[in-house]
Structure formats: C-alpha cells, structure tokens
Amino acid sequence: MLYLLRKMIRRLPGVVIKQVPLPTPEVVIGFGEREQAAALCKKHGFQRVLLVTDRTIFSLGYQEKIVAALQEQGISWTVFSEIDSEPNLAIIDHGREALSGCNGDVILALGGGAVLDSCKMIAAGGRLQKQSSNDLLQKFLLVKHKTIPIIAIPTTAGTGAEITVAAVVTNRKGKKEPTVVVGLDVRAVILDSELTVNAPMKITCACGIDALSHGLEGAAADVRVAEEDRQKSMECVRLVLENLPILIREPSNLIARQAMSFAANYGGNAINKQLAGYVHAFAHSIGAKYHIPHGEAIALALLPVMRFQKNRCLGKLAELSRYCGLADESESDASACDKLLDALQELIELCGFDFQKGLIQKQDYASLARAICWDSINYSPPIVLRDRDIYKLLDEMNEL
Ligand SMILES: [Fe+2]
C-alpha cells in the first residue's frame, strides 16, 4: 500500500521544493576569512550581533577573531555557546531568549550542522515571537517577512547546512524531523578553511562522504533543474573524489581543504534543488537505530543503494563519471557508470570506516523498512523500493 502511494507521488517532492524561495547569499572564501563577518555586518547595517556557536568551537576560541573584528567596527555582540548536541527544543528556546535578550538584528552562525540548523530555527523564532518553539516544528514553516538574517560560517566541510533550507530538530517525542524554513534569510556564507584544517581525519572523511552523497543523490534524482545547478551537483562529486584522497595523505593541504568546503556548499545546493534520496533514507534510519554518525551511515549505505538503482539513472551517472574524468565519450554508459561506482568504492575504502559486520539485526528489518519508506517520501529518487528490495540492501550493508 505504502509502496503504491510512494510510487504515485515519486516526483512530487521535486515539484514542491521548487516553490520554496531559496537564500542567495554572498559567498566569501579563504583561510582565516571569518573575520570578514564584521565587514559584512557593517555593509548590511547590522548593529547587534548574536554569535551562536557550540561549546567545543567556543573552547577552541574560533570565535575570537570574529569578536575582535566586530569590536573594531563598533558593532555590539553577544555570544550564545550553549549548543552541545543536535538541535532540540531546549536549545532553540535558549537561543531565542539570547536573541531577544540582545535585541539582535543578525545571527552569526559559527559551527557544524547542529549549530547552523539551530540558528535557522532561532532566526525564524525571532520573527514568529508568539509561537512556541514546538509550534515552529512543521513540515513547512512559513516566515512571511523572512527570518532574522544569518551570516553562516561552517566549521565542517560536509552538511552544506549553511545554505540548505531545512533544519533537522529533535521533537518532544525524541524523533528527529526536518522543518523547511520558507523565508530563510542567509545573507552571507563564509567558507574559512582555517576552521576545518584541524578536524580529525575520521570527521574529515565522514563529512566529505556526506558532501559527496549530496551531489551524487542530487545528480541521480528525478528532478529537473537549471543547468547551473546540475553542474554544481556534478562539481561537488568531482571535488570530493579529487580532494578527499589528498587530505587523507596530507591533512594540512589548504587548497584541498578549501575545495572540500566548496564541495559541501555545492552539495547543500543539490539538497535545496534536487533533494536527497535512498542513500539518505537508509542512513537516517540505520543511524538513528544504531547511533551511527550521519557521514558514516551514508558511507555504509551509499554503494549498495547506488548499485541497486544504477540502471534507472544510468545516463546521469555515466555523464557524472565523464564529468569527473573517469570515463571518456567513446565508452558505453554502462562502463562509465561502473567506473564511477568503482571510484566511489575506492574512496570509501581509503577512508577506512570501521563498519561492523552484522550490525543490522534481522528483527529490526521490518521497522527499518517502514522508516526508510517514510523518509523516502521527502525525495524524488530514480526508483521506488519495495520492502524486499530494502531487505536485500540491508543484507548487503551487513556484509560490508
Ligand atoms: Fe547528508
């Protein structure tokens, strides 16, 4: 029943997402460039900054350069650094209190996906003051006159959350649910490679594979987009295939770090325009069940899912393979696609994820299949999976 419904509405999410206005931020790039946040505030006439970050980033002092630059520009600032987990209602409540306490007219969001997503909800709550934080958790949250502006400074190269319009928040029932913020105002994004250069290799790899999956699922999705967006999705994959191996050998390579930040940003564009797909549906469900970080769960799901659906998006994957320089025009689509899948396998092996054989319990298959099927309703993937397909793929993931 769910399969038939899913099949009927497969293309719908790709149509709906086109109705959501997307932020078009100015992008600033470079090592140590986060201090440009002050000049950007000045340029836009912002006078009272709420700088939001997490406890770890705060303890590392990454905010200090920004604070010094704000001080120099005579802009008042308040720091909210209480974030120590994925976004939840308590974090959003406290963030909203901090925003109204300083009467902030801009939010500087300095952190990874958790901080960036928290800021989207805090910025929306700044406009929708009569609504409780729980009320803000809707499938689509309409903020008529746009949210409080955000200047986003990602500290990881993975989620692309600096530009994605959805925020994932744990609700009262302890379930993570996405809210698409309609009217999200991301005024600027600063991609500062200094922030990612000291990330542990495990994080670099997990974030990199996550970014790659956004470009890859975007490229394979059954959603029509402008040529520029198609190119960005393919460029996301190319940049990760080229630069993540460099970083594994040479973690301080700043050119590769910067390229990975670009890849993540292009991956965020892919999510906004083409949505994700079954790799994410599997990763969300398996990750939640067995407490596996998102990027690692993506690495587990990526190859089995892409191999299973490849014949339904062969032309797109072959084009991607050629774009990445893995195949030439004379090769058949099937051969080009296989070369792409081989390159993905090689990269995932190089990352050295420690997948636990037999991790996914047989008794969990039915509930996982249900969760995967429901999650897939958020996307327009090239294929709709039946339960038996999902079981087969879970078997394969158990053997990796
Ligand atoms: Fe992801």
Side-chain angles (χ1 to χ4, degrees):
M1 182 67 185
L2 189 52
Y3 169 77
L4 287 175
L5 170 76
R6 181 68 197 95
K7 213 168 169 182
M8 274 163 59
I9 62 165
R10 184 173 64 89
R11 288 206 178 102
L12 188 62
V15 175
V16 171
I17 197 67
K18 289 201 173 105
Q19 312 309 314
V20 176
L22 300 173
T24 50
E26 172 180 356
V27 180
V28 176
I29 309 138
F31 186 85
E33 288 294 298
R34 63 189 176 283
E35 62 189 12
Q36 292 299 325
L40 287 164
C41 286
K42 194 91 182 166
K43 176 176 154 186
H44 290 284
F46 302 135
Q47 290 173 334
R48 297 170 304 279
V49 168
L50 178 68
L51 195 159
V52 179
T53 190
D54 64 35
R55 288 188 207 273
T56 308
I57 301 286
F58 186 79
S59 67
L60 290 168
Y62 286 169
Q63 72 288 352
E64 284 165 10
K65 258 189 185 174
I66 302 172
V67 166
L70 289 170
Q71 214 143 4
E72 213 169 285
Q73 297 275 8
I75 297 167
S76 78
W77 50 269
T78 301
V79 174
F80 172 69
S81 61
E82 285 174 32
I83 298 176
D84 57 0
S85 69
E86 297 295 311
N88 57 38
L89 288 170
I91 287 172
I92 295 165
D93 276 341
H94 293 154
R96 293 176 74 183
E97 280 163 26
L99 182 65
S100 64
C102 69
N103 194 20
D105 55 8
V106 65
I107 294 174
L108 294 194
L110 173 70
V115 167
L116 297 164
D117 278 7
S118 298
C119 286
K120 292 169 197 171
M121 301 310 293
I122 296 166
R127 293 283 192 237
L128 305 170
Q129 293 185 0
K130 287 186 184 151
Q131 295 191 29
S132 73
S133 295
N134 192 54
D135 292 340
L136 301 181
L137 305 188
Q138 303 167 20
K139 198 101 182 142
F140 291 90
L141 175 67
L142 177 63
V143 188
K144 257 191 184 162
H145 303 292
K146 289 199 170 178
T147 65
I148 300 286
I150 295 173
I151 295 176
I153 313 170
T155 54
T156 57
T159 63
E162 66 271 18
I163 53 161
T164 54
V165 283
V168 178
V169 180
T170 305
N171 63 20
R172 273 191 187 143
K173 293 177 187 161
K175 207 166 168 237
K176 286 183 188 182
E177 294 281 5
T179 290
V180 173
V181 180
V182 181
L184 182 68
D185 184 2
V186 181
R187 207 55 76 83
V189 168
I190 303 176
L191 302 176
D192 179 352
S193 50
E194 191 181 3
L195 296 168
T196 61
V197 76
N198 292 320
M201 192 43 66
K202 199 176 168 184
I203 303 285
T204 298
C205 287
C207 289
I209 295 296
D210 186 28
L212 177 142
S213 73
H214 300 152
L216 183 66
E217 293 219 272
D222 198 356
V223 183
R224 275 179 191 276
V225 289
E227 181 58 26
E228 184 194 356
D229 296 315
R230 233 169 51 83
Q231 293 281 329
K232 280 186 180 176
S233 299
M234 293 198 290
E235 182 65 2
C236 164
V237 176
R238 192 193 71 75
L239 285 171
V240 177
L241 285 174
E242 185 175 308
N243 290 284
L244 191 51
I246 296 175
L247 284 183
I248 292 170
R249 288 194 306 272
E250 209 186 315
S252 312
N253 186 311
L254 291 178
I255 295 169
R257 287 279 172 197
Q258 200 66 69
M260 290 299 289
S261 294
F262 261 125
N265 195 256
Y266 289 160
N269 187 71
I271 297 176
N272 273 348
K273 301 280 172 66
Q274 296 164 308
L275 305 164
Y278 273 107
V279 175
H280 273 77
F282 273 80
H284 289 152
S285 306
I286 295 169
K289 189 90 186 170
Y290 304 110
H291 309 290
I292 304 172
H294 180 66
E296 291 179 39
I298 288 285
L300 179 67
L302 194 140
L303 283 168
V305 170
M306 293 310 294
R307 285 199 175 116
F308 191 88
Q309 65 184 13
K310 72 172 185 180
N311 288 333
R312 300 297 284 269
C313 49
L314 197 65
K316 289 175 180 172
L317 294 183
E319 186 192 10
L320 178 57
S321 179
R322 293 184 190 106
Y323 180 89
C324 294
L326 300 168
D328 58 42
E329 294 300 329
S330 65
E331 284 177 71
S332 68
D333 281 1
S335 157
C337 179
D338 285 345
K339 284 192 172 167
L340 174 69
L341 294 171
D342 289 348
L344 296 173
Q345 180 171 0
E346 206 176 302
L347 180 61
I348 289 172
E349 284 172 3
L350 191 63
C351 288
F353 295 108
D354 191 13
F355 300 133
Q356 193 190 323
K357 260 195 176 32
L359 166 89
I360 308 164
Q361 307 291 307
K362 290 270 184 200
Q363 73 257 28
D364 295 335
Y365 275 28
S367 64
L368 282 170
R370 243 188 336 270
I372 289 163
C373 200
W374 277 113
D375 193 352
S376 78
I377 287 178
N378 294 308
Y379 318 123
S380 287
I383 191 172
V384 175
L385 301 181
R386 292 177 185 274
D387 279 3
R388 63 169 179 264
D389 304 327
I390 294 176
Y391 287 15
K392 183 176 175 286
L393 288 166
L394 290 171
D395 277 342
E396 275 181 41
M397 288 167 206
N398 255 344
E399 290 304 316
L400 287 174

